[in-house]
Amino acid sequence: MNDLTQAALSLATPMVMDLDRHERTSEQFRVIAERVAEMLSAAGNIPVDVVVKRLEADFDVWVPQAVVVSDPGDHVPWLDERKQQIDFPYWKRYAAWLGRKSWKPSTVEALGETTDQILGLLEDPQRCGSWKTYGMVYGQVQSGKTASYTGVICKAVDAGYRVVVVLTSQLESLRHQTQARLDLEFLGLNSKFAREADNSDSSVVIGVGTLGMTSPGLCLPVTTQASDFTAAQFQGSPVNVHEVCVLVVAKKNARILENLKDWLNNFATNGVDGKKLVRNAPLLLIDDEADYASVDTKRPRRGRTQSDPEHDPTAINKAIRGILELFEQRVYLAYTATPFANIFIPEKTEHPELGQDLFPRSFLVALEPPSNYCGPEVVFGLEDPLAADIREPLPMIRPVDDYESWLPDGHRKGDRPAGRLPRSLVHALDAFVLATAVRKVRARDYDVAGGHNTMLVHVTRFTDVQGEVARQIEEHLQDAATAWGDYGRAGTELRERLAGVWEQDFQPTYVDLSGRADVSALVGPPVSWGNVEQFIGQILEEVAGNVRRINGTAADVLDYQSKIPVTIVAVGGDKLSRGLTLEGLTVSYYLRTSRAYDTLLQMGRWFGYRPGYLDVTRLYTTSELVGYYVHITRANRELMDLATAVARAKQTPRHVGLRVLDGPGNLQVTAAAKMRASQTMMVSFSGTRAETLVMRTDRTAQKRNHEKLLRLVEQIAPYPEVPANRVNEAGRGFFRSGVPAEVVMEFLEGFAVSPRVLTANPENVIPYIRSQVSQGELGNWTVAVTGGSSGNKLEIEGRKLPLVKRRTITHARVLDRECEVGVLVSPSHETLDLSAGIVDRAFEITAEAFRSSGRRQAPKRPSGDSLRQLRNPDNGLLLIYPIDPDASEIAGADPEIPIVGYAVVFPRSDRARPVQYRVNETFLNNIRKAVDDEETDES
């Protein structure tokens, strides 16, 4: 890019950033580019098209606005008034650093906005007297929470907070990683040497420190990359919190936290009430991975509750609360991707010495990830509520079913893997070598950012077993490195095997992803086998010596500080599942089972950002685990949607409470000890859509459901057809209106569903319909047997209806005889029986929601929620999907008859038959207020 074009971009970028997000369109980019070209015309011709394309690339990432649920309480708004008086040197330096790290301007801008929102929810550090804030920030796994709290720290220190404490996992290696990142991106000092040399020494100044500041930095590290707040640190910390801002990065270890409290106590003074407090030094305590170790899981004494003033909490919970109670002015700010345990903390808790428990009573901020984030909903192809088409799962999941003889699920400490590596792990290692080679080719030939390359192997929690697994992998890779240079039998077999993986896996996956509008921007340029082959020998040599055992000590920290990209296979357990960043992660081999939402989501290190290499990302795991992830993702989405609804209604965490969709079978929201303050409860079907996203494929169930479908068609055939104008929009099918509720219930009665189907289970749906009918609702139904695009057809009333194609997310184990799809309902089907006027009104509601959330693009269609708001309470909708088992690659099913799935669409209603949820005390108490005593007893 020449200097003139760069100058044009420098002028155009702030002009774009001055626009509202929804105004940032290609047309506006061209207007700005032409204006800049005119301004610089004396210097030469500006290539307007080039500037427009660059602006589109820089602003193509859309970041949704954060959802804020808050309780004003005694909060005093302050930021709007003080903002112009604060220079924000730490923040400006950090924002500039992110720009140098290739963050898009729109992403840095969005981070600035959300960190402003969070800072404004904290108290003004200049506010006199005693105050306290308890908040929580909730975002997706690997979506940028560390960047968020780093930004909050920068702005809080700029505003006047004096003591910053960041609590990390209980593992030293993760504490080290957090300290190193804050050294690099907040302090600008290497804490290893900060006390041993002058701060201007080049060996001390790192990261943001190399960019300079508009005013001198006043925050010093108390802990270092080499040392937590140990007893020695306690004795040797000369800094005074009343003279300088301090940063402490500490593990969640009771002794460490007691050391910290004892040191902070040196700065406390007695007040008029005799209580010893640290005054005039506002505390910001950030609890990273706040659901881990911080939550009080101690069983109350018999007949008591955790709200009891005499309850003795767990040691770490007690230590955190003790530090908070030591300060006159303090903020507790929790960060987590899995808030399930935190929202079940009792809201009303007041210990005589430890004060309130850690429930986020002041505010909850839900961060929706940017559009270039590859999270669970994208990976598994779960419904995008406002997409024009069905979202398909990414073709990156590879099923693993051959490990039991090598390392059974029930193995114990001291066991050893039996025999050679399973074929699936060999395939995963091959895929990692090829993925690394692709990235190296793209970095060399196409100027696509390269970087570190990592593979995750997580198959056991036992460190001794991890060591044996790592040894086997090392031996395998060393043999492969030797064989690559051998042109005899071993070398030939290796070349043929890798070429086979390339042709059968990598090439078709590239074609698939590069052709998808939703993710094609994350796919790099095409690469030839000849170019890939050039790097394989080098990669095998490097990775054979870089198999790392990662299990919790500082010695095994993955060092990504080198400017030369490293290639690593990380073998571990708990440490790999909580907080650790694996840079350039391409291939994950994950077998370890867990049945808790939070543990499973935290293990999903493969979620995140894969710019230019999404096509070489792979997840090798079991169908059972994928099924768990799908359910958890839906529960997470429901929690986010609930937070949005609560915020829209201007209600608070304290007054409304939260609920989380409970799990099927043995799958649970979080550890039982973290849910003692919660209960299971039943909540409404009103305004929802219940669908069979998991379908049975055993031939008995398949036959029964097919027969029920044919019987239903006979029964509804005499009823009126749905008006043609609506049919044309919804596609081909067999549609009838005015069908009595009894016919719908007869179809559902005895329908063979998977035990993993929750809300759409006939045992839940039928009583709800019956209850609504008795109250004058849901008496008339539209029933639609939908058509698809398969070459196979279903004969209905003399017509041949093409069967539906749905790509399966998982095929469960053979004994389960089930398949699961990410999306069942086609986007337009909920409009099937609605008038044009209602659809238009629903679209207006959706568009307004878009505008208020800050989305720049317009919605493609009305949301299902807006349609259900406007649907007549008397009119239900039953959608039937006859799925082609052959075209959808559903293993084990009879290919001659369809797999039948259904969705039941319920209008908004004040009456409800419930679905079981896990709820916190506040939610439960509010429901109790809204119902009479008899209903309360049933709850």
Side-chain angles (χ1 to χ4, degrees):
M1 184 182 299
N2 63 42
D3 292 342
L4 195 55
T5 304
Q6 187 61 57
L9 281 168
S10 297
L11 286 172
T13 296
M15 294 182 185
V16 173
M17 294 181 71
D18 283 341
L19 298 174
D20 289 334
R21 292 192 190 184
H22 67 276
E23 295 176 335
R24 293 174 186 170
T25 62
S26 296
E27 292 77 11
Q28 280 292 339
F29 293 160
R30 182 164 295 278
V31 169
I32 289 172
E34 289 173 350
R35 187 187 311 162
V36 169
E38 185 177 347
M39 293 166 60
L40 298 176
S41 59
N45 292 325
I46 302 295
V48 170
D49 288 343
V50 172
V51 174
V52 171
K53 287 186 180 299
R54 182 58 187 269
L55 291 173
E56 287 175 341
D58 284 347
F59 290 92
D60 67 348
V61 176
W62 171 70
V63 185
Q65 288 187 341
V67 176
V68 178
V69 180
S70 64
D71 181 353
D74 67 346
H75 175 66
V76 178
W78 63 281
L79 187 57
D80 288 345
E81 183 177 336
R82 272 200 66 204
K83 196 171 183 179
Q84 299 305 317
Q85 305 166 15
I86 304 171
D87 188 37
F88 290 109
Y90 275 104
W91 165 253
K92 289 177 181 176
R93 188 173 69 166
Y94 180 48
W97 173 258
L98 294 177
R100 290 198 176 191
K101 286 178 64 179
S102 300
W103 276 49
K104 300 279 182 80
S106 57
T107 312
V108 177
E109 179 188 31
L111 180 65
E113 291 175 1
T114 58
T115 49
D116 270 358
Q117 283 181 294
I118 295 167
L119 181 66
L121 292 165
L122 312 184
E123 290 308 310
D124 183 352
Q126 294 185 356
R127 178 182 168 185
C128 297
S130 176
W131 45 259
K132 54 190 174 184
T133 301
Y134 293 79
M136 181 169 73
V137 179
Y138 154 46
Q140 300 285 342
V141 173
Q142 297 286 90
S143 65
K145 293 183 299 301
T146 305
S148 173
Y149 72 66
T150 302
V152 170
I153 290 172
C154 289
K155 290 183 175 181
V157 171
D158 288 335
Y161 279 84
R162 303 303 296 269
V163 181
V164 179
V165 176
V166 180
L167 303 183
T168 71
S169 160
Q170 293 175 306
L171 299 172
E172 173 58 25
S173 52
L174 297 186
R175 191 208 68 82
H176 171 100
Q177 177 180 271
T178 303
Q179 180 82 58
R181 183 157 174 181
L182 290 173
D183 284 1
L184 191 74
E185 298 187 339
F186 165 57
L187 292 175
L189 303 172
N190 189 330
S191 61
K192 288 181 182 178
F193 312 114
R195 297 205 199 120
E196 300 171 8
D198 184 88
N199 286 351
S200 63
D201 191 315
S202 60
S203 65
V204 175
V205 177
I206 60 172
V208 294
T210 63
L211 303 182
M213 290 180 73
T214 54
S215 57
L218 298 173
C219 196
L220 295 177
V222 177
T223 53
T224 72
Q225 292 182 40
S227 178
D228 199 347
F229 208 94
T230 60
Q233 201 85 344
F234 171 31
Q235 298 296 331
S237 298
V239 296
N240 186 322
V241 301
H242 290 113
E243 296 173 356
V244 66
C245 168
V246 299
L247 171 69
V248 177
V249 181
K251 291 191 299 292
K252 294 182 192 178
N253 173 287
R255 180 172 294 180
I256 293 289
L257 297 181
E258 284 301 321
N259 289 339
L260 175 59
K261 181 182 175 184
D262 289 344
W263 178 69
L264 291 169
N265 200 51
N266 291 326
F267 309 108
T269 57
N270 289 319
V272 292
D273 57 357
K275 186 175 182 179
K276 198 172 184 182
L277 291 173
V278 179
R279 305 174 199 276
N280 302 315
L283 167 70
L284 171 61
L285 190 153
I286 290 180
D287 188 353
D288 194 13
E289 309 292 348
D291 60 305
Y292 183 69
S294 304
V295 178
D296 177 18
T297 58
K298 195 169 185 179
R299 187 182 297 277
R301 288 184 298 169
R302 190 185 183 105
R304 303 291 183 93
T305 68
Q306 286 175 305
S307 302
D308 191 324
E310 295 183 9
H311 172 66
D312 184 27
T314 52
I316 293 173
N317 177 271
K318 183 189 299 185
I320 294 172
R321 291 161 67 181
I323 291 171
L324 291 169
E325 284 298 299
L326 185 59
F327 282 78
E328 181 181 38
Q329 301 158 331
R330 73 272 195 183
V331 171
Y332 172 79
L333 183 56
Y335 269 81
T336 181
T338 49
F340 308 114
N342 303 78
I343 64 176
F344 295 141
I345 295 172
E347 190 268 321
K348 292 183 179 178
T349 305
E350 189 69 39
H351 192 279
E353 296 177 5
L354 303 176
Q356 296 175 321
D357 206 344
L358 306 178
F359 178 77
R361 55 186 50 79
S362 304
F363 65 83
L364 184 153
V365 176
L367 301 176
E368 288 273 22
S371 59
N372 62 338
Y373 170 73
C374 288
E377 293 178 15
V378 176
V379 169
F380 299 121
L382 304 184
E383 181 188 19
D384 180 350
L386 297 169
D389 302 309
I390 289 176
R391 174 190 278 168
E392 298 286 359
L394 298 185
M396 60 177 281
I397 300 170
R398 303 293 178 265
V400 176
D401 58 8
D402 61 351
Y403 66 93
E404 277 288 341
S405 60
W406 174 65
L407 193 65
D409 282 338
H411 69 271
R412 300 173 180 272
K413 182 178 180 180
D415 289 348
R416 295 294 179 267
R420 304 174 66 179
L421 296 178
R423 183 185 297 269
S424 58
L425 182 48
V426 171
H427 193 287
L429 290 163
D430 289 348
F432 178 57
V433 171
L434 294 177
T436 303
V438 169
R439 294 192 69 205
K440 288 182 180 293
V441 172
R442 287 173 176 164
R444 181 193 68 183
D445 297 346
Y446 297 99
D447 196 30
V448 174
H452 305 298
N453 300 278
T454 307
M455 175 178 176
L456 176 155
V457 178
H458 188 175
V459 297
T460 178
R461 65 188 179 91
F462 301 114
T463 57
D464 58 338
V465 185
Q466 292 165 20
E468 282 298 305
V469 171
R471 182 189 61 77
Q472 281 195 338
I473 291 174
E474 283 174 340
E475 290 180 357
H476 170 81
L477 291 171
Q478 287 165 0
D479 289 346
T482 301
W484 187 257
D486 176 9
Y487 285 85
R489 178 179 176 182
T492 300
E493 288 179 351
L494 176 59
R495 283 178 169 78
E496 290 178 350
R497 191 178 78 220
L498 289 171
V501 175
W502 179 259
E503 293 172 5
Q504 297 163 27
D505 185 332
F506 276 64
Q507 284 187 320
T509 301
Y510 177 84
V511 171
D512 188 338
L513 289 177
S514 61
R516 286 181 48 166
D518 57 335
V519 294
S520 59
L522 304 178
V523 176
V527 173
S528 70
W529 168 249
N531 283 332
V532 165
E533 200 173 15
Q534 295 173 16
F535 283 96
I536 290 177
Q538 168 197 332
I539 293 166
L540 285 170
E541 290 285 350
E542 182 180 0
V543 74
N546 259 331
V547 179
R548 306 286 184 85
R549 296 150 178 82
I550 311 298
N551 47 37
T553 64
D556 64 17
V557 170
L558 290 173
D559 188 1
Y560 293 112
Q561 298 302 316
S562 169
K563 293 183 179 179
I564 300 173
V566 296
T567 304
I568 295 171
V569 176
V571 181
D574 286 344
K575 181 184 171 183
L576 291 178
S577 70
R578 171 76 63 169
L580 185 72
T581 297
L582 299 173
E583 294 197 19
L585 178 64
T586 51
V587 178
S588 302
Y589 189 88
Y590 171 49
L591 301 181
R592 181 181 164 191
T593 57
S594 172
R595 298 187 183 280
Y597 288 17
D598 40 16
T599 304
L600 280 166
L601 275 179
Q602 290 290 353
M603 289 176 179
R605 301 289 102 189
W606 49 84
F607 303 127
Y609 302 93
R610 303 291 181 264
Y613 63 98
L614 179 65
D615 55 306
V616 298
T617 303
R618 299 289 184 271
L619 168 59
Y620 291 78
T621 192
T622 65
S623 295
E624 180 181 38
L625 279 169
V626 170
Y628 284 174
Y629 274 108
V630 169
H631 180 84
I632 294 163
T633 301
R634 289 182 175 126
N636 231 351
R637 167 48 52 194
E638 181 166 314
L639 180 59
M640 184 71 78
D641 290 345
L642 179 67
T644 302
V646 168
R648 192 181 298 130
K650 301 188 182 304
Q651 295 174 308
T652 71
R654 175 180 294 159
H655 295 140
V656 178
L658 299 167
R659 67 174 186 260
V660 181
L661 184 65
D662 216 358
N666 292 325
L667 185 64
Q668 59 187 38
V669 172
T670 185
K674 296 178 183 178
M675 298 192 293
R676 289 201 185 101
S678 71
Q679 299 184 33
T680 56
M681 189 183 160
M682 315 303 278
V683 294
S684 172
F685 269 120
S686 170
T688 66
R689 186 179 73 213
E691 49 192 317
T692 56
L693 295 169
V694 183
M695 287 162 287
R696 287 176 57 176
T697 59
D698 61 285
R699 298 198 176 196
T700 300
Q702 189 181 358
K703 182 180 178 183
R704 181 200 301 177
N705 293 343
H706 180 232
E707 290 173 349
K708 290 190 74 64
L709 170 57
L710 296 180
R711 169 63 177 155
L712 176 67
V713 168
E714 290 178 6
Q715 289 179 294
I716 67 173
Y719 290 94
E721 291 190 30
V722 177
N725 63 325
R726 283 280 152 245
V727 173
N728 292 337
E729 287 190 22
R732 292 171 294 180
F734 185 77
F735 309 141
R736 294 292 185 268
S737 61
V739 178
E742 289 74 16
V743 174
V744 172
M745 289 188 284
E746 182 180 331
F747 168 75
L748 296 171
E749 186 73 50
F751 193 95
V753 297
S754 162
R756 291 197 287 146
V757 169
L758 299 176
T759 53
N761 192 307
E763 292 182 1
N764 293 328
V765 173
I766 293 172
Y768 176 76
I769 296 173
R770 187 173 290 123
S771 172
Q772 297 302 99
V773 169
S774 70
Q775 300 175 76
E777 295 185 352
L778 291 183
N780 293 292
W781 286 74
T782 299
V783 177
V785 182
T786 65
S789 58
S790 172
N792 295 321
K793 295 179 171 57
L794 174 69
E795 187 165 338
I796 294 182
E797 292 293 302
R799 296 169 51 192
K800 291 189 175 180
L801 187 68
L803 296 179
V804 173
K805 290 182 181 180
R806 287 291 183 270
R807 183 177 296 181
T808 59
I809 298 175
T810 64
H811 307 299
R813 292 175 301 181
V814 174
L815 291 177
D816 292 338
R817 296 181 181 178
E818 295 176 345
C819 71
E820 182 158 11
V821 295
V823 181
L824 186 64
V825 177
S826 293
S828 61
H829 284 171
E830 284 202 51
T831 67
L832 177 68
D833 57 342
L834 300 177
S835 70
I838 288 177
V839 174
D840 290 344
R841 284 171 55 202
F843 185 84
E844 290 172 4
I845 292 171
T846 305
E848 177 56 37
F850 261 56
R851 285 190 291 272
S852 63
S853 69
R855 298 196 192 196
R856 123 173 137 248
Q857 76 275 35
K860 296 181 174 69
R861 61 182 178 86
S863 67
D865 181 69
S866 64
L867 292 166
R868 293 189 287 273
Q869 283 185 46
L870 302 176
R871 180 176 284 277
N872 188 322
D874 187 43
N875 182 218
L877 174 62
L878 175 65
L879 298 165
I880 313 290
Y881 292 86
I883 298 173
D884 185 344
D886 189 34
S888 301
E889 300 179 348
I890 298 175
D894 185 341
E896 300 300 321
I897 59 176
I899 302 287
V900 180
Y902 64 80
V904 189
V905 178
F906 295 109
R908 185 70 58 86
S909 171
D910 295 332
R911 307 172 181 89
R913 184 184 188 284
V915 176
Q916 180 168 291
Y917 284 79
R918 177 72 60 174
V919 298
N920 68 3
E921 283 185 328
T922 305
F923 186 87
L924 190 64
N925 288 336
N926 281 359
I927 293 296
R928 283 174 176 159
K929 292 175 184 177
V931 296
D932 59 29
D933 291 342
E934 180 180 350
E935 288 173 321
T936 303
D937 291 340
E938 290 176 359
S939 298

